[in-house]
């Protein structure tokens, strides 16, 4: 068989489908209904052409339709924009990827020599996902960094391994402020969003905007209940999750990595650095690798980059294939949007686009979970409880709320299914102390949680008894 002919047929079929927006619209409407998502957008860009379609309502029962300009709170997708903004400053020689950030930010004090922008953007800074912060609200990034970028909020030594961190991106936002002399909000708008043709919307900020913003929704597929969710983003945490975007906006960001890119905004070298996986950044359960602000996902012979984000009751995603000149983005206003996104990728793959749903890779055979895995683990202000069921399966909870049950494998990995949205899964693994062999941590959806000190001490006592 002449595989080159098959490839040309696949390309022709895909090009034809790009010309027919109704096919994408029908797909989006069908999947939104299946996953009980009130409203969604899909944008696909290939060889300079973008097809964008919308479905549903901005708020359930509100009667206002989603349009191409509707902005969806993107949650952690905001980090890709903050990273891009930082890389523009790197390209201008205003920031150095490997210089200690203490040279610019004296407020990080004793950790200033350990933190670098490369470590922060690749989530290898060692910082917790979110700090032990209590109920305090912060309007200043400087105050937030001063209070929380401290040894008490380190999960591991900087540079040691991957652990997803919102706090690290607040630190990046503070770097942007000091270098530009502007607030993060102003720098984001003037340096990145306006040049991309994006009308900015900031969630949680008292800043005017002209666009409609989709409401988030909590959907429980088991009970069939859908309810609105209020967005809650602290102003100081904006660099990690405060942007609201349309799917077309996300594809515009992707265009910086396609074709000739946008060298007047982000040179090709710096764009490529963002896509290159960082050695030691292993985001188990989130992606196959992590670059400087972008995750990497392997799909057959193709490597895509992008980011996923969950706001309060929203789920937004984008992927870029620089080699094939593809950019795909989906926004949704429900917590069930992740399952919709996974199924959407499968449908797009069947249509000839070289992409597939990301599936966390676990290996080994199912075993009765070792008792050593049970215990309390912490990451910032989140506490995880792991117990062993009579049938040998794992039972996990976060701050008292059940995360579900999972089978443990002999390599100490597991896959957890969300009880409220059964089509959503999270991969995790237990970490063993290299010197003692004790289970000392658990990594769930990329976040590392360490066994609490009291439990760790009890384990060591048992080991030496």
């Amino acid at each position: 068989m002449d595989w080159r002919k098959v490839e040309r047929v696949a390309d022709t079929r895909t090009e034809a489908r790009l010309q027919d927006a109704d096919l994408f619209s029908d797909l989006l409407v069908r999947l939104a209904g299946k996953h009980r998502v009130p409203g969604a957008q899909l944008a696909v860009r290939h060889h300079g052409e973008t097809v964008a379609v919308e479905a549903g309502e901005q708020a359930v029962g509100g009667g206002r339709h989603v349009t191409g300009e509707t902005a969806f709170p993107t949650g952690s997708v905001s980090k890709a924009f903050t990273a891009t903004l930082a890389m523009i400053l790197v390209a201008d020689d205003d920031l150095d990827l490997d210089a200690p950030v203490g040279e610019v930010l004296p407020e990080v004090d004793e950790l200033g020599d350990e933190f670098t922008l490369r470590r922060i953007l690749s989530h290898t800074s060692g910082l917790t996902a979110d700090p032990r912060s209590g109920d305090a609200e912060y309007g200043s990034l400087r105050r937030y960094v001063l209070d929380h970028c401290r040894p008490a909020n380190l999960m591991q030594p900087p540079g040691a391994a991957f652990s997803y961190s919102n706090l690290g991106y607040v630190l990046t936002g503070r770097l942007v402020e000091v270098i530009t002399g502007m607030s993060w909000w102003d720098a984001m708008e003037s340096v990145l969003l306006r040049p991309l043709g994006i009308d900015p919307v900031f969630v949680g900020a008292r800043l005017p905007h002209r666009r409609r913003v989709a409401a988030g929704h909590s959907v429980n597929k088991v009970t069939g209940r859908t309810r609105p969710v209020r967005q809650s983003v602290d102003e100081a945490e904006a660099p990690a999750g405060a942007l609201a975007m349309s799917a077309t906006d996300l594809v515009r960001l992707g265009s910086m990595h396609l074709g000739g890119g946008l060298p007047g905004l982000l040179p090709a070298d710096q764009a490529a650095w963002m896509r290159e996986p960082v050695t030691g950044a292993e985001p188990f359960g989130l992606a196959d690798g992590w670059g400087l602000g972008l995750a990497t996902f392997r799909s057959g012979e193709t490597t895509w980059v992008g980011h996923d984000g969950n706001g309060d009751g929203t789920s937004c995603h984008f992927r870029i294939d620089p080699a094939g000149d593809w950019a795909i983005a989906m926004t949704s206003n429900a917590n069930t949007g992740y399952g919709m996104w996974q199924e959407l990728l499968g449908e797009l793959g069947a249509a000839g686009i070289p992409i597939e749903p990301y599936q966390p890779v676990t290996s080994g055979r199912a075993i009765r979970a070792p008792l050593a895995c049970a215990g309390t683990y912490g990451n910032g202000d989140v506490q995880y409880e792991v117990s062993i069921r009579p049938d040998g399966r794992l039972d996990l909870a976060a701050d008292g709320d059940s995360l579900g049950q999972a089978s443990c494998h002999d390599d100490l990995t597991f896959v957890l299914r969300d009880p409220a949205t059964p089509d959503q899964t999270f991969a995790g693994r237990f970490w063993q102390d290299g010197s003692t062999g004790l289970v000392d941590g658990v990594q769930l959806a990329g976040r590392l949680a360490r066994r609490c000190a009291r439990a760790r001490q009890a384990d060591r006592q048992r080991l030496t008894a």
Side-chain angles (χ1 to χ4, degrees), residues 5-26:
K5 289 183 180 178
V6 174
E7 290 169 359
R8 283 200 295 272
V9 170
D11 286 345
T12 301
R13 180 179 56 160
T14 302
E15 293 291 349
R17 285 174 177 258
L18 276 176
Q19 300 298 323
D20 188 354
D22 288 344
L23 291 172
F24 289 99
S25 181
D26 292 345

Side-chain angles (χ1 to χ4, degrees), residues 323-341:
D325 204 40
W326 288 99
I328 302 169
M330 189 198 86
T331 59
S332 70
N333 60 356
N335 60 308
T336 52
Y338 179 78
M340 177 181 170
W341 167 247

Side-chain angles (χ1 to χ4, degrees), residues 244-305:
M245 296 278 164
S246 68
T248 303
D249 293 335
L250 299 183
V251 164
R252 285 192 181 116
L253 181 73
S255 68
M256 302 177 76
H257 300 269
L258 301 180
L262 299 175
L265 188 56
L266 181 67
D269 284 349
Q270 282 70 35
W273 294 349
M274 294 186 70
R275 305 190 301 265
E276 184 67 26
V278 172
T279 302
E282 299 180 11
F284 187 82
L286 278 182
D288 294 310
W290 215 278
L292 301 179
L294 294 175
T296 64
F297 304 87
R298 291 188 295 271
S299 181
E301 298 298 317
T302 304
T303 297
W304 294 73
V305 297

